[in-house]
Amino acid sequence: MSRPRILIVGAGFAGYRTARTLSRLTRGRAHITLLNPTDYFLYLPLLPQVAAGILEPRRVTVSLSDSLPDVRLVLGEAERIDLDDRTLHYTGPEGEGGTLAYDRLVLAAGSVNKLLPIPGVAEHAHGFRGLPEALYLRDHVTRQVELAASAEDPEGCAARCTFVVVGAGYTGTEVAAHGQMFTDAQVRKHPLRQGMRPRWMLLDVAPRVLPEMDEKLSATADRVLRQRGVDVRMGTSVKEATHDGVVLTDGEFVETRTLVWCVGVRPDPLVESLGLPMEKGRLLVDPHLRVPGRPELFACGDVAAVPDLENPGSYTPMTAQHAWRHGKIAAENVAASLGLGGSRRPYRHRDLGFVVDLGGAKAAANPLGVTLSGVPAGAVTRGYHLAAMPGNRVRVAADWLLDAVLPRQAVQLGLVRSWSVPLDTSSPEVARVAGGPGRRADARSGPGAALAADTDDGGGPGRAGSPDEPAKGQPGSGTAQVRPGSGAARPRSEWETAKGRPLAGPPGSGHGQLRSEWETAKGRPLAGPPGSGHGELRSESETAKGRPAAETATAAGTAGEPARSRTVGEAAQNQPGGEPARNQPGGEPAKNQPGGEPAKNQPGGEPAKNQPGGEPAKNQPAPAPPPHPPGPDHPAPGPVKRTDVPDDPDDFTKGDS
């Protein structure tokens, strides 16, 4: 007799506990498969300490393969579930597709960042639901303090040292508390020139901090935050977010380069595609965590609306404590439904209290209803986390000890960029990779869904493009690759590439001016208008098709073929002669750039074989002679100052690095 197949989607608190309990109950009598985008379980409550540099990232992760030896791990994201055929279709981390069959399916996909219809938030804010977002925030905060220390103007320094956190719940309160300590420590070692101090703001429309918890815990957290210097504003939120700051609901404009979005979570959009009864985005289940009418389907954690038997008419909240307990009951009921032991049990719970780590020796806790603050609360809080973690306890305790006696290492690792962690994503646990596979774009929902192009680290002026397509000019996008031996002195920075900013000098200086991105994409001439003979450049699509340089660049648009523009640093393989274009500033002057040796197809040098005035190329039509001799109205070929860019380099759009 074949063993039953149990499929678990998601390895968060609910999914991980389900897999671990099922492995113990079935003892090899069932095939257990766990589908998850990453190979680790993430202990979310300690994520603020990763962002503050207290814990190393791997300390809050537990290997799924090591801790679940009897469970088959499949890396990927669920795309579609066929309930009638009992199959699940998924996409692997490298874009490959796959199908998994099941006899019992447990949905524990977790949650994603909650969105609100506020202008600019999806473009300029970042969430705090996964390890990539925590790593990005740590790098970003460190960078802003370092840039502020070297800033000349006080206004720019103040904007970079202002950090706005929206949402005074569990996560937002801890992020603001740890963040203020982190930046204060940086400034003590590297004081700001103007003598300023980093400013953290905590906003929420609720009347008090931690509104879902006990009032005594709320009062303790509020007092600690204000003593530490956090600007706590209750009854206030963000009305609009811009590149330069945020507009608050009371009308005040706060200049900032950092907006952390911690307003809450929403269930993973995967459950919406099932067409089953929902309750505020969550899948309705009975007290046994089974979906009514689907005996093979169970749901637990944040995607499930589980009836609260202790409070009839309500559902259990979306917290880690409930998700962890859901997982155990779900595993027992799945095993019972397959006849592998035990009996079905409804989910009941009793709160054991909450703990909030405020950094250092400060905390707020109420274990078993006893309200604590100060050092006792700090000891209880850290003891609770060590007991609740399924692994890495010794390493976490060692990091806490080292943080108490040694200064933190405030350095930028540069591993996660701003465009890699958009706010609106169905996979906050996975950083977006340039050119990588899609991330279940068809299942996304909410305001500003699928905004996924590049922005600078300060929350640039917008995103464009397909949900998972990297912005043009980003590393790995294929438009700005610098190959070894190309003569490149340095690659362009992320915001220079995205905005087409000149790399070497001001317009008209002749020092390695670069075409902007839209000029490159459209094959815009660099020196003069079409037909003038002043250094016209063909677009790549024209070059590939053997079109003459003087024709307008319309072939790609009319034929429906996209024009793949080539930018600096890539060998010009389709150019006449096939010689790589050495056009990077700082190295050998390019033969086809102003200021260097005139190229054979540039004005001022020897006429190219496929340019007007030279010998016709073998695959080009013979060009007509110039209609007029050189004169005042028809100047001779030569270097011409560009007119499509401003004279003042400061007129370019500025980005935050």
Side-chain angles (χ1 to χ4, degrees), residues 313-329:
S314 62
Y315 299 92
T316 59
M318 299 166 63
T319 64
Q321 284 190 10
H322 282 291
W324 187 253
R325 298 166 183 170
H326 286 175
K328 181 181 179 181
I329 298 299

Side-chain angles (χ1 to χ4, degrees), residues 429-449:
E429 66 275 11
V430 178
R432 176 168 290 116
V433 178
R439 300 292 182 195
R440 209 165 64 238
D442 56 336
R444 295 179 187 172
S445 64

Side-chain angles (χ1 to χ4, degrees), residues 605-624:
E606 180 182 345
K609 293 183 179 182
N610 61 347
Q611 290 292 339
E615 179 182 349
K618 292 181 180 180
N619 61 343
Q620 296 289 341

Side-chain angles (χ1 to χ4, degrees), residues 514-524 539-540 563-567:
L514 299 176
R515 290 181 293 171
S516 66
E517 183 179 78
W518 67 274
E519 289 178 310
T520 304
K522 298 182 179 297
R524 186 178 174 90
S539 66
E540 185 179 27
R564 299 183 299 273
S565 59
R566 180 186 294 109
T567 56

Side-chain angles (χ1 to χ4, degrees), residues 228-605:
R228 198 166 286 170
V230 177
D231 186 357
V232 180
R233 299 195 185 184
M234 295 295 97
T236 306
S237 188
V238 172
K239 182 179 180 180
E240 181 182 0
T242 68
H243 172 60
D244 298 321
V246 294
V247 180
L248 305 184
T249 51
D250 59 6
E252 180 183 354
F253 180 77
V254 178
E255 293 189 8
T256 181
R257 300 291 185 271
T258 308
L259 180 58
V260 187
W261 194 253
C262 302
V263 297
V265 295
R266 59 190 173 104
D268 191 291
L270 173 67
V271 297
E272 297 179 2
S273 62
L274 299 178
L276 297 174
M278 310 284 289
E279 171 64 29
K280 295 182 178 180
R282 294 195 284 173
L283 197 61
L284 276 173
V285 297
D286 61 23
H288 300 91
L289 308 184
R290 176 179 285 182
V291 176
R294 291 286 177 178
E296 79 286 357
L297 181 58
F298 292 78
C300 54
D302 290 348
V303 299
V306 181
D308 189 348
L309 299 182
E310 302 295 327
N311 298 288
S314 62
Y315 299 92
T316 59
M318 299 166 63
T319 64
Q321 284 190 10
H322 282 291
W324 187 253
R325 298 166 183 170
H326 286 175
K328 181 181 179 181
I329 298 299
E332 293 175 351
N333 290 339
V334 168
S337 70
L338 294 171
L340 299 178
S343 58
R344 293 199 313 160
R345 287 202 303 152
Y347 176 73
R348 293 181 180 273
H349 74 93
R350 184 172 64 89
D351 287 334
L352 300 179
F354 293 92
V355 295
V356 181
D357 189 353
L358 301 176
K362 303 292 186 180
N366 61 346
L368 302 177
V370 180
T371 304
L372 299 175
S373 62
V375 176
V380 169
T381 298
R382 296 201 168 185
Y384 167 79
H385 288 314
L386 288 179
M389 288 192 68
N392 288 346
R393 296 184 180 94
V394 175
R395 290 185 172 93
V396 169
D399 275 2
W400 284 340
L401 177 61
L402 292 175
D403 180 69
V405 298
L406 296 176
R408 298 180 195 175
Q409 293 177 302
V411 295
Q412 301 179 52
L413 299 180
L415 300 177
V416 182
R417 307 300 298 172
S418 173
W419 57 272
S420 300
V421 284
L423 180 65
D424 189 9
T425 175
S426 60
S427 303
E429 66 275 11
V430 178
R432 176 168 290 116
V433 178
R439 300 292 182 195
R440 209 165 64 238
D442 56 336
R444 295 179 187 172
S445 64
L451 293 173
D454 190 13
T455 61
D456 54 46
D457 288 330
R463 299 182 172 102
S466 64
D468 296 286
E469 177 186 1
K472 299 178 181 179
Q474 289 300 332
S477 64
T479 60
Q481 298 174 1
V482 180
R483 301 182 180 180
S486 64
R490 72 170 179 91
R492 290 184 291 174
S493 66
E494 183 177 325
W495 66 272
E496 287 177 318
T497 305
K499 299 183 181 303
R501 189 175 175 89
L503 186 60
S509 66
H511 298 298
Q513 297 179 33
L514 299 176
R515 290 181 293 171
S516 66
E517 183 179 78
W518 67 274
E519 289 178 310
T520 304
K522 298 182 179 297
R524 186 178 174 90
L526 184 61
S532 65
H534 299 300
E536 296 175 25
L537 296 179
R538 293 180 295 166
S539 66
E540 185 179 27
S541 61
E542 291 179 313
T543 304
K545 297 179 181 295
R547 294 177 65 88
E551 286 191 52
T552 57
T554 59
T558 57
E561 178 182 351
R564 299 183 299 273
S565 59
R566 180 186 294 109
T567 56
V568 60
E570 181 177 352
Q573 297 176 352
N574 294 330
Q575 292 295 335
E579 180 181 356
R582 298 186 295 271
N583 54 356
Q584 287 287 356
E588 179 182 350
K591 294 184 178 182
N592 59 348
Q593 289 293 336
E597 178 184 346
K600 294 183 179 182
N601 60 347
Q602 289 294 333

Side-chain angles (χ1 to χ4, degrees), residues 180 184 197-200 224-232:
Q180 184 73 65
D184 283 350
R197 183 190 179 190
R199 175 192 183 193
W200 284 78
V224 171
L225 290 173
R226 295 182 187 275
Q227 289 175 350
R228 198 166 286 170
V230 177
D231 186 357
V232 180

